[in-house]
Tab-separated table of all heavy atoms in Angstrom:
chain	number	residue	atom	x	y	z
A	411	MET	N	-33.238	27.806	-16.511
A	411	MET	CA	-33.062	28.262	-17.880
A	411	MET	C	-34.344	27.951	-18.651
A	411	MET	O	-34.874	26.855	-18.572
A	411	MET	CB	-31.862	27.551	-18.504
A	411	MET	CG	-31.651	27.893	-19.967
A	411	MET	SD	-30.181	27.131	-20.660
A	411	MET	CE	-29.064	28.494	-20.447
A	412	GLY	N	-34.827	28.921	-19.394
A	412	GLY	CA	-36.065	28.752	-20.148
A	412	GLY	C	-35.857	28.019	-21.459
A	412	GLY	O	-34.733	27.837	-21.916
A	413	LYS	N	-36.946	27.612	-22.019
A	413	LYS	CA	-36.896	26.923	-23.311
A	413	LYS	C	-36.985	27.944	-24.437
A	413	LYS	O	-37.590	29.005	-24.271
A	413	LYS	CB	-38.044	25.928	-23.430
A	413	LYS	CG	-37.913	24.776	-22.462
A	413	LYS	CD	-38.977	23.734	-22.698
A	413	LYS	CE	-38.777	22.586	-21.722
A	413	LYS	NZ	-39.644	21.475	-22.024
A	414	VAL	N	-36.372	27.626	-25.556
A	414	VAL	CA	-36.400	28.480	-26.739
A	414	VAL	C	-36.904	27.667	-27.917
A	414	VAL	O	-36.870	26.440	-27.904
A	414	VAL	CB	-35.003	29.068	-27.064
A	414	VAL	CG1	-34.508	29.945	-25.926
A	414	VAL	CG2	-34.001	27.968	-27.353
A	415	THR	N	-37.352	28.359	-28.936
A	415	THR	CA	-37.794	27.712	-30.160
A	415	THR	C	-36.643	27.710	-31.160
A	415	THR	O	-35.975	28.730	-31.345
A	415	THR	CB	-38.988	28.467	-30.769
A	415	THR	OG1	-40.050	28.445	-29.824
A	415	THR	CG2	-39.446	27.824	-32.072
A	416	VAL	N	-36.406	26.562	-31.786
A	416	VAL	CA	-35.393	26.425	-32.821
A	416	VAL	C	-36.070	25.809	-34.037
A	416	VAL	O	-36.766	24.802	-33.913
A	416	VAL	CB	-34.227	25.515	-32.361
A	416	VAL	CG1	-33.224	25.311	-33.465
A	416	VAL	CG2	-33.574	26.078	-31.110
A	417	THR	N	-35.873	26.413	-35.187
A	417	THR	CA	-36.455	25.890	-36.421
A	417	THR	C	-35.365	25.204	-37.222
A	417	THR	O	-34.274	25.750	-37.384
A	417	THR	CB	-37.057	27.037	-37.255
A	417	THR	OG1	-38.034	27.710	-36.470
A	417	THR	CG2	-37.692	26.504	-38.529
A	418	ILE	N	-35.661	24.004	-37.703
A	418	ILE	CA	-34.710	23.304	-38.564
A	418	ILE	C	-35.409	22.921	-39.864
A	418	ILE	O	-36.634	22.769	-39.907
A	418	ILE	CB	-34.113	22.040	-37.896
A	418	ILE	CG1	-35.197	21.004	-37.597
A	418	ILE	CG2	-33.357	22.401	-36.635
A	418	ILE	CD1	-34.638	19.649	-37.184
A	419	TYR	N	-34.622	22.779	-40.897
A	419	TYR	CA	-35.124	22.323	-42.187
A	419	TYR	C	-34.450	20.996	-42.498
A	419	TYR	O	-33.234	20.874	-42.357
A	419	TYR	CB	-34.816	23.350	-43.286
A	419	TYR	CG	-35.544	24.646	-43.078
A	419	TYR	CD1	-34.971	25.681	-42.357
A	419	TYR	CD2	-36.836	24.823	-43.569
A	419	TYR	CE1	-35.653	26.869	-42.137
A	419	TYR	CE2	-37.534	26.004	-43.355
A	419	TYR	CZ	-36.930	27.024	-42.642
A	419	TYR	OH	-37.620	28.189	-42.428
A	420	MET	N	-35.242	20.025	-42.870
A	420	MET	CA	-34.691	18.709	-43.193
A	420	MET	C	-35.484	18.106	-44.337
A	420	MET	O	-36.585	18.558	-44.653
A	420	MET	CB	-34.705	17.792	-41.960
A	420	MET	CG	-36.092	17.441	-41.455
A	420	MET	SD	-36.136	16.215	-40.112
A	420	MET	CE	-35.117	16.932	-38.879
A	421	GLU	N	-34.910	17.103	-44.910
A	421	GLU	CA	-35.571	16.379	-45.995
A	421	GLU	C	-36.803	15.671	-45.437
A	421	GLU	O	-36.817	15.222	-44.287
A	421	GLU	CB	-34.623	15.350	-46.618
A	421	GLU	CG	-33.378	15.959	-47.240
A	421	GLU	CD	-33.677	16.828	-48.432
A	421	GLU	OE1	-34.643	16.544	-49.159
A	421	GLU	OE2	-32.947	17.818	-48.630
A	422	GLU	N	-37.825	15.577	-46.251
A	422	GLU	CA	-39.076	14.931	-45.845
A	422	GLU	C	-38.828	13.494	-45.378
A	422	GLU	O	-39.397	13.065	-44.373
A	422	GLU	CB	-40.075	14.945	-47.000
A	422	GLU	CG	-41.411	14.295	-46.671
A	422	GLU	CD	-42.246	15.051	-45.646
A	422	GLU	OE1	-42.083	16.274	-45.524
A	422	GLU	OE2	-43.058	14.409	-44.955
A	423	GLU	N	-37.964	12.772	-46.074
A	423	GLU	CA	-37.709	11.384	-45.696
A	423	GLU	C	-37.043	11.296	-44.315
A	423	GLU	O	-37.301	10.362	-43.555
A	423	GLU	CB	-36.868	10.667	-46.747
A	423	GLU	CG	-35.484	11.251	-46.941
A	423	GLU	CD	-34.752	10.694	-48.142
A	423	GLU	OE1	-35.409	10.311	-49.123
A	423	GLU	OE2	-33.511	10.656	-48.090
A	424	ASP	N	-36.196	12.259	-43.984
A	424	ASP	CA	-35.585	12.276	-42.657
A	424	ASP	C	-36.621	12.593	-41.586
A	424	ASP	O	-36.607	12.001	-40.503
A	424	ASP	CB	-34.446	13.302	-42.592
A	424	ASP	CG	-33.276	12.920	-43.478
A	424	ASP	OD1	-33.089	11.717	-43.760
A	424	ASP	OD2	-32.537	13.839	-43.892
A	425	LYS	N	-37.531	13.502	-41.875
A	425	LYS	CA	-38.598	13.844	-40.932
A	425	LYS	C	-39.489	12.631	-40.695
A	425	LYS	O	-39.872	12.333	-39.562
A	425	LYS	CB	-39.418	15.026	-41.472
A	425	LYS	CG	-40.444	15.564	-40.490
A	425	LYS	CD	-41.807	15.086	-40.877
A	425	LYS	CE	-42.886	15.654	-39.959
A	425	LYS	NZ	-44.182	15.058	-40.211
A	426	GLU	N	-39.791	11.904	-41.748
A	426	GLU	CA	-40.619	10.712	-41.606
A	426	GLU	C	-39.915	9.647	-40.763
A	426	GLU	O	-40.541	9.005	-39.916
A	426	GLU	CB	-40.992	10.162	-42.980
A	426	GLU	CG	-41.957	11.061	-43.735
A	426	GLU	CD	-42.170	10.657	-45.188
A	426	GLU	OE1	-41.613	9.634	-45.626
A	426	GLU	OE2	-42.899	11.384	-45.876
A	427	ALA	N	-38.616	9.481	-40.965
A	427	ALA	CA	-37.852	8.514	-40.179
A	427	ALA	C	-37.790	8.948	-38.715
A	427	ALA	O	-37.917	8.121	-37.804
A	427	ALA	CB	-36.445	8.353	-40.750
A	428	LEU	N	-37.601	10.247	-38.490
A	428	LEU	CA	-37.588	10.767	-37.129
A	428	LEU	C	-38.942	10.540	-36.458
A	428	LEU	O	-39.009	10.159	-35.289
A	428	LEU	CB	-37.233	12.255	-37.140
A	428	LEU	CG	-37.128	12.942	-35.776
A	428	LEU	CD1	-36.067	12.295	-34.905
A	428	LEU	CD2	-36.857	14.433	-35.964
A	429	GLN	N	-40.015	10.719	-37.205
A	429	GLN	CA	-41.353	10.488	-36.662
A	429	GLN	C	-41.552	9.017	-36.310
A	429	GLN	O	-42.124	8.698	-35.272
A	429	GLN	CB	-42.431	10.937	-37.651
A	429	GLN	CG	-43.845	10.823	-37.113
A	429	GLN	CD	-44.098	11.743	-35.930
A	429	GLN	OE1	-44.038	12.953	-36.074
A	429	GLN	NE2	-44.381	11.179	-34.766
A	430	GLN	N	-41.061	8.126	-37.150
A	430	GLN	CA	-41.154	6.694	-36.859
A	430	GLN	C	-40.396	6.356	-35.582
A	430	GLN	O	-40.873	5.578	-34.748
A	430	GLN	CB	-40.604	5.867	-38.018
A	430	GLN	CG	-41.474	5.875	-39.245
A	430	GLN	CD	-40.866	5.071	-40.388
A	430	GLN	OE1	-39.745	4.580	-40.303
A	430	GLN	NE2	-41.610	4.947	-41.463
A	431	LEU	N	-39.207	6.938	-35.432
A	431	LEU	CA	-38.414	6.704	-34.228
A	431	LEU	C	-39.142	7.246	-33.000
A	431	LEU	O	-39.213	6.574	-31.970
A	431	LEU	CB	-37.043	7.370	-34.383
A	431	LEU	CG	-36.026	7.145	-33.274
A	431	LEU	CD1	-35.775	5.667	-33.034
A	431	LEU	CD2	-34.742	7.873	-33.606
A	432	ALA	N	-39.701	8.429	-33.119
A	432	ALA	CA	-40.464	9.021	-32.015
A	432	ALA	C	-41.654	8.147	-31.653
A	432	ALA	O	-41.906	7.890	-30.469
A	432	ALA	CB	-40.926	10.428	-32.394
A	433	ASP	N	-42.371	7.683	-32.660
A	433	ASP	CA	-43.519	6.812	-32.414
A	433	ASP	C	-43.096	5.525	-31.707
A	433	ASP	O	-43.769	5.069	-30.777
A	433	ASP	CB	-44.224	6.465	-33.729
A	433	ASP	CG	-44.922	7.659	-34.359
A	433	ASP	OD1	-45.118	8.692	-33.688
A	433	ASP	OD2	-45.262	7.563	-35.574
A	434	ALA	N	-41.980	4.953	-32.138
A	434	ALA	CA	-41.495	3.708	-31.548
A	434	ALA	C	-41.137	3.889	-30.076
A	434	ALA	O	-41.260	2.956	-29.283
A	434	ALA	CB	-40.279	3.190	-32.323
A	435	GLU	N	-40.703	5.099	-29.707
A	435	GLU	CA	-40.325	5.373	-28.324
A	435	GLU	C	-41.414	6.119	-27.557
A	435	GLU	O	-41.179	6.590	-26.439
A	435	GLU	CB	-39.005	6.148	-28.287
A	435	GLU	CG	-37.850	5.329	-28.835
A	435	GLU	CD	-36.491	5.892	-28.456
A	435	GLU	OE1	-36.418	6.751	-27.555
A	435	GLU	OE2	-35.504	5.463	-29.060
A	436	GLU	N	-42.591	6.223	-28.177
A	436	GLU	CA	-43.732	6.914	-27.577
A	436	GLU	C	-43.369	8.320	-27.113
A	436	GLU	O	-43.651	8.732	-25.990
A	436	GLU	CB	-44.327	6.088	-26.428
A	436	GLU	CG	-44.894	4.762	-26.910
A	436	GLU	CD	-45.555	3.943	-25.819
A	436	GLU	OE1	-45.557	4.360	-24.643
A	436	GLU	OE2	-46.074	2.858	-26.156
A	437	ARG	N	-42.738	9.067	-28.018
A	437	ARG	CA	-42.347	10.454	-27.774
A	437	ARG	C	-42.928	11.311	-28.888
A	437	ARG	O	-43.219	10.820	-29.971
A	437	ARG	CB	-40.827	10.619	-27.804
A	437	ARG	CG	-40.073	9.826	-26.763
A	437	ARG	CD	-38.569	10.055	-26.905
A	437	ARG	NE	-37.809	9.182	-26.041
A	437	ARG	CZ	-37.495	9.458	-24.782
A	437	ARG	NH1	-37.900	10.582	-24.234
A	437	ARG	NH2	-36.799	8.604	-24.061
A	438	SER	N	-43.011	12.611	-28.621
A	438	SER	CA	-43.396	13.523	-29.692
A	438	SER	C	-42.188	13.726	-30.607
A	438	SER	O	-41.043	13.416	-30.237
A	438	SER	CB	-43.835	14.874	-29.116
A	438	SER	OG	-42.727	15.569	-28.579
A	439	LEU	N	-42.451	14.258	-31.765
A	439	LEU	CA	-41.371	14.554	-32.709
A	439	LEU	C	-40.373	15.515	-32.062
A	439	LEU	O	-39.156	15.318	-32.136
A	439	LEU	CB	-41.962	15.159	-33.988
A	439	LEU	CG	-41.010	15.373	-35.143
A	439	LEU	CD1	-40.524	14.051	-35.697
A	439	LEU	CD2	-41.705	16.171	-36.232
A	440	SER	N	-40.878	16.534	-31.407
A	440	SER	CA	-40.024	17.519	-30.743
A	440	SER	C	-39.198	16.874	-29.627
A	440	SER	O	-37.989	17.129	-29.521
A	440	SER	CB	-40.884	18.646	-30.177
A	440	SER	OG	-40.098	19.599	-29.521
A	441	GLN	N	-39.828	16.051	-28.808
A	441	GLN	CA	-39.096	15.382	-27.730
A	441	GLN	C	-37.987	14.495	-28.278
A	441	GLN	O	-36.892	14.429	-27.714
A	441	GLN	CB	-40.049	14.524	-26.891
A	441	GLN	CG	-40.994	15.308	-26.025
A	441	GLN	CD	-42.057	14.413	-25.399
A	441	GLN	OE1	-42.438	13.374	-25.958
A	441	GLN	NE2	-42.549	14.817	-24.243
A	442	MET	N	-38.269	13.813	-29.381
A	442	MET	CA	-37.263	12.938	-29.977
A	442	MET	C	-36.088	13.743	-30.503
A	442	MET	O	-34.923	13.383	-30.301
A	442	MET	CB	-37.899	12.116	-31.105
A	442	MET	CG	-37.058	10.945	-31.582
A	442	MET	SD	-37.052	9.596	-30.369
A	442	MET	CE	-35.321	9.510	-29.981
A	443	ALA	N	-36.384	14.858	-31.165
A	443	ALA	CA	-35.323	15.714	-31.700
A	443	ALA	C	-34.453	16.259	-30.570
A	443	ALA	O	-33.215	16.261	-30.672
A	443	ALA	CB	-35.928	16.850	-32.523
A	444	VAL	N	-35.076	16.693	-29.481
A	444	VAL	CA	-34.314	17.209	-28.343
A	444	VAL	C	-33.432	16.116	-27.760
A	444	VAL	O	-32.258	16.352	-27.439
A	444	VAL	CB	-35.258	17.799	-27.269
A	444	VAL	CG1	-34.513	18.071	-25.963
A	444	VAL	CG2	-35.919	19.063	-27.781
A	445	LEU	N	-33.958	14.923	-27.618
A	445	LEU	CA	-33.187	13.814	-27.073
A	445	LEU	C	-31.960	13.525	-27.942
A	445	LEU	O	-30.845	13.349	-27.430
A	445	LEU	CB	-34.059	12.559	-26.963
A	445	LEU	CG	-33.377	11.315	-26.404
A	445	LEU	CD1	-32.899	11.540	-24.981
A	445	LEU	CD2	-34.317	10.125	-26.473
A	446	ILE	N	-32.136	13.498	-29.242
A	446	ILE	CA	-31.017	13.234	-30.154
A	446	ILE	C	-29.970	14.340	-30.061
A	446	ILE	O	-28.764	14.069	-30.019
A	446	ILE	CB	-31.530	13.065	-31.592
A	446	ILE	CG1	-32.314	11.750	-31.704
A	446	ILE	CG2	-30.386	13.109	-32.607
A	446	ILE	CD1	-33.093	11.595	-32.990
A	447	VAL	N	-30.416	15.584	-29.991
A	447	VAL	CA	-29.479	16.702	-29.866
A	447	VAL	C	-28.718	16.606	-28.547
A	447	VAL	O	-27.491	16.784	-28.507
A	447	VAL	CB	-30.207	18.056	-30.001
A	447	VAL	CG1	-29.305	19.207	-29.603
A	447	VAL	CG2	-30.720	18.237	-31.417
A	448	LYS	N	-29.411	16.310	-27.458
A	448	LYS	CA	-28.748	16.185	-26.160
A	448	LYS	C	-27.707	15.066	-26.176
A	448	LYS	O	-26.618	15.214	-25.607
A	448	LYS	CB	-29.769	15.943	-25.051
A	448	LYS	CG	-30.529	17.184	-24.664
A	448	LYS	CD	-31.459	16.902	-23.486
A	448	LYS	CE	-32.141	18.192	-23.045
A	448	LYS	NZ	-32.904	18.007	-21.807
A	449	ARG	N	-28.032	13.955	-26.820
A	449	ARG	CA	-27.076	12.848	-26.922
A	449	ARG	C	-25.836	13.276	-27.706
A	449	ARG	O	-24.710	12.924	-27.337
A	449	ARG	CB	-27.728	11.642	-27.589
A	449	ARG	CG	-28.705	10.908	-26.705
A	449	ARG	CD	-29.384	9.778	-27.449
A	449	ARG	NE	-30.332	9.066	-26.610
A	449	ARG	CZ	-31.223	8.203	-27.064
A	449	ARG	NH1	-31.304	7.930	-28.366
A	449	ARG	NH2	-32.051	7.605	-26.239
A	450	ALA	N	-26.031	14.025	-28.785
A	450	ALA	CA	-24.911	14.487	-29.600
A	450	ALA	C	-24.039	15.466	-28.815
A	450	ALA	O	-22.796	15.419	-28.906
A	450	ALA	CB	-25.423	15.135	-30.883
A	451	ILE	N	-24.667	16.347	-28.043
A	451	ILE	CA	-23.908	17.297	-27.225
A	451	ILE	C	-23.087	16.551	-26.178
A	451	ILE	O	-21.897	16.832	-25.983
A	451	ILE	CB	-24.853	18.319	-26.563
A	451	ILE	CG1	-25.433	19.256	-27.623
A	451	ILE	CG2	-24.133	19.106	-25.466
A	451	ILE	CD1	-26.576	20.124	-27.129
A	452	LYS	N	-23.716	15.597	-25.504
A	452	LYS	CA	-23.015	14.808	-24.481
A	452	LYS	C	-21.830	14.074	-25.081
A	452	LYS	O	-20.732	14.070	-24.504
A	452	LYS	CB	-23.995	13.819	-23.841
A	452	LYS	CG	-23.363	12.843	-22.864
A	452	LYS	CD	-23.276	13.437	-21.483
A	452	LYS	CE	-22.908	12.405	-20.441
A	452	LYS	NZ	-21.492	12.241	-20.215
A	453	LYS	N	-22.011	13.480	-26.240
A	453	LYS	CA	-20.923	12.761	-26.906
A	453	LYS	C	-19.794	13.719	-27.258
A	453	LYS	O	-18.615	13.409	-27.054
A	453	LYS	CB	-21.425	12.054	-28.159
A	453	LYS	CG	-20.354	11.261	-28.880
A	453	LYS	CD	-20.892	10.566	-30.112
A	453	LYS	CE	-19.869	9.711	-30.819
A	453	LYS	NZ	-18.586	10.341	-31.079
A	454	ALA	N	-20.123	14.887	-27.785
A	454	ALA	CA	-19.096	15.871	-28.144
A	454	ALA	C	-18.343	16.345	-26.904
A	454	ALA	O	-17.124	16.557	-26.959
A	454	ALA	CB	-19.739	17.051	-28.872
A	455	GLN	N	-19.033	16.500	-25.786
A	455	GLN	CA	-18.368	16.879	-24.540
A	455	GLN	C	-17.453	15.757	-24.066
A	455	GLN	O	-16.310	16.000	-23.669
A	455	GLN	CB	-19.398	17.215	-23.464
A	455	GLN	CG	-20.129	18.501	-23.722
A	455	GLN	CD	-21.297	18.733	-22.785
A	455	GLN	OE1	-21.865	17.782	-22.227
A	455	GLN	NE2	-21.677	19.985	-22.608
A	456	ASP	N	-17.949	14.534	-24.107
A	456	ASP	CA	-17.152	13.389	-23.670
A	456	ASP	C	-15.918	13.187	-24.552
A	456	ASP	O	-14.858	12.790	-24.057
A	456	ASP	CB	-17.999	12.107	-23.664
A	456	ASP	CG	-19.071	12.114	-22.581
A	456	ASP	OD1	-19.040	12.986	-21.686
A	456	ASP	OD2	-19.962	11.242	-22.658
A	457	ASP	N	-16.072	13.471	-25.862
A	457	ASP	CA	-14.972	13.318	-26.814
A	457	ASP	C	-13.980	14.474	-26.762
A	457	ASP	O	-12.921	14.427	-27.380
A	457	ASP	CB	-15.493	13.211	-28.242
A	457	ASP	CG	-16.284	11.942	-28.498
A	457	ASP	OD1	-16.246	11.035	-27.659
A	457	ASP	OD2	-16.954	11.871	-29.561
A	458	GLY	N	-14.361	15.561	-26.072
A	458	GLY	CA	-13.500	16.734	-26.020
A	458	GLY	C	-13.671	17.680	-27.200
A	458	GLY	O	-12.918	18.633	-27.345
A	459	THR	N	-14.664	17.425	-28.036
A	459	THR	CA	-14.930	18.292	-29.186
A	459	THR	C	-15.416	19.660	-28.721
A	459	THR	O	-15.036	20.685	-29.281
A	459	THR	CB	-15.969	17.651	-30.118
A	459	THR	OG1	-15.504	16.351	-30.495
A	459	THR	CG2	-16.211	18.492	-31.352
A	460	ILE	N	-16.249	19.669	-27.695
A	460	ILE	CA	-16.713	20.910	-27.084
A	460	ILE	C	-16.532	20.805	-25.576
A	460	ILE	O	-16.472	19.690	-25.031
A	460	ILE	CB	-18.201	21.238	-27.423
A	460	ILE	CG1	-19.140	20.157	-26.892
A	460	ILE	CG2	-18.371	21.455	-28.918
A	460	ILE	CD1	-20.635	20.492	-27.059
A	461	ARG	N	-16.454	21.954	-24.917
A	461	ARG	CA	-16.291	21.954	-23.467
A	461	ARG	C	-17.629	21.709	-22.789
A	461	ARG	O	-18.657	22.191	-23.269
A	461	ARG	CB	-15.750	23.294	-23.001
A	461	ARG	CG	-14.289	23.482	-23.357
A	461	ARG	CD	-13.850	24.804	-22.875
A	461	ARG	NE	-14.563	25.806	-23.685
A	461	ARG	CZ	-14.310	27.082	-23.695
A	461	ARG	NH1	-13.394	27.582	-22.920
A	461	ARG	NH2	-14.993	27.897	-24.474
A	462	PRO	N	-17.602	20.998	-21.671
A	462	PRO	CA	-18.839	20.862	-20.903
A	462	PRO	C	-19.327	22.228	-20.454
A	462	PRO	O	-18.556	23.184	-20.330
A	462	PRO	CB	-18.396	20.019	-19.693
A	462	PRO	CG	-17.176	19.291	-20.147
A	462	PRO	CD	-16.506	20.222	-21.112
A	463	LYS	N	-20.619	22.334	-20.217
A	463	LYS	CA	-21.269	23.596	-19.869
A	463	LYS	C	-20.595	24.294	-18.697
A	463	LYS	O	-20.461	25.510	-18.696
A	463	LYS	CB	-22.746	23.318	-19.557
A	463	LYS	CG	-23.553	24.529	-19.217
A	463	LYS	CD	-24.993	24.142	-18.962
A	463	LYS	CE	-25.814	25.322	-18.533
A	463	LYS	NZ	-27.175	24.967	-18.219
A	464	ASN	N	-20.181	23.574	-17.685
A	464	ASN	CA	-19.643	24.167	-16.456
A	464	ASN	C	-18.149	24.437	-16.521
A	464	ASN	O	-17.541	24.740	-15.505
A	464	ASN	CB	-19.950	23.266	-15.257
A	464	ASN	CG	-21.443	23.129	-15.017
A	464	ASN	OD1	-22.199	24.035	-15.327
A	464	ASN	ND2	-21.872	22.001	-14.492
A	465	SER	N	-17.531	24.331	-17.690
A	465	SER	CA	-16.081	24.566	-17.788
A	465	SER	C	-15.787	25.928	-18.341
A	465	SER	O	-16.508	26.534	-19.041
A	465	SER	CB	-15.446	23.518	-18.688
A	465	SER	OG	-15.533	22.267	-18.076
């Protein structure tokens, strides 16, 4: 599966906090955002909020 571009709009203070988190984990801003989204998806699947991809 290929990668796609997704644009999000957020408050400047949230972007700065996300950048600090990315810096602390030695990741790019984009990598950090993807990691957080993946964690949220996994949690929603585990909680039954959404179906896992293969279901």
Side-chain angles (χ1 to χ4, degrees):
M411 176 176 264
K413 293 186 179 188
V414 298
T415 299
V416 177
T417 302
I418 63 169
Y419 295 91
M420 65 174 56
E421 299 294 328
E422 180 68 26
E423 63 190 30
D424 294 334
K425 187 257 183 188
E426 291 171 3
L428 182 60
Q429 184 64 64
Q430 289 178 355
L431 185 56
D433 291 345
E435 295 196 14
E436 296 183 358
R437 299 179 187 273
S438 70
L439 187 67
S440 179
Q441 289 171 331
M442 194 73 241
V444 168
L445 180 62
I446 290 169
V447 169
K448 284 184 176 188
R449 286 176 180 167
I451 290 169
K452 174 86 169 90
K453 181 180 183 311
Q455 289 171 336
D456 291 348
D457 293 348
T459 304
I460 62 174
R461 287 180 292 190
K463 181 179 176 183
N464 297 331
S465 293

